[in-house]
Amino acid sequence: MPYLSGTPRNRLLVPWWGERAALALLGLLPAILYFWYGAHDALGPDPVNVFERWLGLWAVRFLLAGLLVTPLRALTGLNLIRYRRMLGLLAFCYVCLHVGVYVGLDQQGNIGVLVQDLTRRPFLMIGFAAFMLMVPLAITSTDGAMRRLGRRWGRLHRLVYGVALLVAVHFLMAFKTYNVTSVTYAGLLMAMVVWRCQAAWRRWRRRAA
Amino acid sequence: AQTLSVRPGPFQAAERPTPLQDVTHYNNFYEFGLDKGDPAALSARFAARPWTLSVEGLVARPRVWDIDQLIAAMPLEERLYRMRCVEAWSMVIPWDGFPLASLLAQAEPLGSARYVAFESVVRPAQMPGQRNGLDSLAWPYVEGLRLDEAMHPLTLLAVGLYGEILPNQNGAPVRLVVPWKYGFKGIKSITRIRLVESRPPTTWNQMNAQEYGFFANVNPEVDHPRWSQASERIIGAGGFFGGGRKKTLMFNGYGEQVAGLYGGMDLRRNY
């Protein structure tokens, strides 16, 4: 597994943990910045809505970035695999914040509304399903879990393609009309799923032949 | 902007008006773009003068009005109205205008007229949102009211806000305001008002009938398929912790005035 085999440390400018910490910090910057703005009434007239959508958008961006790692290596040879776990965790982190802001700041903890949301509204049910599917992926993102699960780890983490499909649909539904932003992101997410499927198909055919 | 001569009108809301900056920089006006900042940012080139508004169809006296002659002919009132958007946010806006009923009365609707159809302007050269294919609605934007709704004293044609001539991003030079209905009923930059016999098509209803009905009365008990309508975010209430949420009222709090229009109707079906 390339992830565990590590990177030649001597080629890095900063120690490996420093690099990851920097990526995490950089990744959280959009959330921190907007939280600061929102707390100080600098997010415009509808701050909660802006923050909620901002967090959702960054969750999509990090999810997409994580999914791009493998195709990028196959197409260009550029290997960013050592950042993939952090990208996935950032995506999960943004999803948690997105849901947290929805429940806490937007609906202000109104249980009645939340129960209706999760039983009647496909838009929110789909989003919530994606969130739930990401939980086992985040929990099993440690080195220890990867070792313990062995081959099953890879199979479990294929769930991310299900997440990508659900997120694409949720993202498209979040807008009143189809538009450049929603169609582009959803299209890219779907493209990742398709790429993965055809790669698996080719491998399967090779093995069958 | 040009100041209008206005006197205070009836139906003044008790709430504090939303700041002018928010009223003019948080707009849904897809002719200028999808983002709520687009109308303010992209409408400077829009020419709201000269402008004509025609009143036609099933009327005894059809007429094409020049907008400034119309404004001069109608006594203008200020009406502080609550506005509830279907997206679950709300504002309180001091509109300047005149009841739609006074304009319609001058045209003398025929007995056969049962609905009023409104049509907005089409000017892709000045409205960037009308040039894009993908995210586009079908233009022109069209809306409609039942004749009794249109004749209701609350129903306003606004030509200004905060005592000044209507800014482009708010629907210059003339727009509809129906305070007990969701904001999208308030068609902007109107060019044509037509009295008709049968229910006219309306833009959002054609786009997605499941989410947007013809009546679009504010109703906390009938949810939008994607969100609850039971409460609303108050625009301009301050940052995250400004306490900007309140319960939504039936007919946006105008039930006393308008509930009678819908006697015996199932508002869950006629949403």
Side-chain angles (χ1 to χ4, degrees), chain A residues 1-4 7 19-20 23 61-73 79-92 134 137 141 146 153-154 157-158 160-161 195-196:
Chain A
M1 210 163 291
Y3 213 112
L4 292 179
T7 328
E19 201 181 50
R20 283 192 198 163
L23 179 59
R61 287 175 175 167
F62 283 118
L63 177 65
L64 192 58
L67 288 168
L68 267 167
V69 167
T70 307
L72 204 64
R73 186 178 48 179
N79 189 354
L80 300 175
I81 193 98
R82 69 176 181 277
Y83 303 117
R84 192 170 64 177
R85 164 160 46 184
M86 187 56 79
L87 292 170
L89 284 172
L90 279 167
F92 182 68
M134 286 177 90
L137 304 187
S141 68
M146 289 172 84
W153 188 90
H157 277 248
R158 271 180 229 153
V160 76
Y161 294 97
W195 191 88
R196 170 72 212 206

Side-chain angles (χ1 to χ4, degrees), chain B:
Chain B
Q2 194 186 322
T3 307
L4 295 164
S5 130
V6 202
R7 63 186 167 81
F11 309 118
Q12 300 288 349
E15 287 84 352
R16 198 167 51 93
T18 306
L20 176 64
Q21 170 72 16
D22 294 340
V23 174
T24 54
H25 289 78
Y26 191 79
N27 308 102
N28 276 323
F29 196 171
Y30 281 20
E31 280 85 339
F32 292 109
L34 280 183
D35 192 87
K36 292 190 175 52
D38 286 345
L42 303 174
S43 64
R45 286 188 53 234
F46 182 74
R49 300 286 189 290
W51 192 275
T52 56
L53 170 66
S54 73
V55 184
E56 56 189 74
L58 302 172
V59 293
R61 302 176 54 179
R63 175 163 179 184
V64 179
W65 287 89
D66 169 76
I67 189 66
D68 291 314
Q69 283 172 4
L70 178 66
I71 291 174
M74 295 289 177
L76 299 185
E77 301 173 16
E78 187 200 82
R79 302 258 185 112
L80 185 63
Y81 277 171
R82 291 179 291 275
M83 178 167 94
R84 171 63 155 80
C85 178
V86 72
E87 297 166 347
W89 53 262
S90 66
M91 293 188 185
V92 183
I93 305 174
W95 298 108
D96 305 305
F98 51 87
L100 174 62
S102 15
L103 179 67
L104 295 183
Q106 293 208 11
E108 296 173 18
L110 302 178
S112 51
R114 292 186 52 225
Y115 289 89
V116 183
F118 302 85
E119 195 176 303
S120 186
V121 73
V122 183
R123 276 192 205 166
Q126 292 178 6
M127 302 178 124
Q130 291 184 333
R131 294 199 289 262
N132 197 323
L134 179 66
D135 53 6
S136 202
L137 301 170
W139 311 113
Y141 194 96
V142 288
E143 258 305 335
L145 294 172
R146 232 169 44 190
L147 185 57
D148 58 344
E149 296 176 323
M151 297 298 285
H152 193 279
L154 272 170
T155 304
L156 200 72
L157 280 181
V159 295
L161 56 85
Y162 270 100
E164 298 198 333
I165 201 162
L166 202 61
N168 285 347
Q169 63 265 36
N170 293 86
V174 57
R175 64 166 292 165
L176 182 67
V177 180
V178 196
W180 72 93
K181 293 175 180 286
Y182 291 120
F184 68 86
K185 292 296 284 185
I187 182 171
K188 303 181 176 92
S189 306
I190 306 172
T191 57
R192 207 147 76 104
I193 297 176
R194 210 158 30 93
L195 282 92
V196 294
E197 204 173 328
S198 49
R199 185 189 286 189
T202 58
T203 293
W204 279 106
N205 181 249
Q206 284 183 309
M207 180 82 183
N208 190 343
Q210 227 199 327
E211 298 192 358
Y212 312 102
F214 174 80
F215 287 97
N217 291 319
V218 175
N219 188 341
E221 280 153 36
V222 176
D223 290 343
H224 185 279
R226 286 181 284 147
W227 55 79
S228 161
Q229 296 289 29
S231 63
E232 63 206 44
R233 305 188 302 281
I234 301 166
I235 294 302
F240 289 161
F241 310 110
R245 193 157 198 119
K246 65 169 185 181
K247 276 203 155 71
T248 292
L249 300 173
M250 187 67 204
F251 296 117
N252 202 22
Y254 296 97
E256 202 184 307
Q257 288 86 18
V258 303
L261 294 173
Y262 309 102
M265 262 175 73
D266 180 356
L267 295 179
R268 208 163 266 286
R269 257 170 23 99
N270 298 288
Y271 56 95

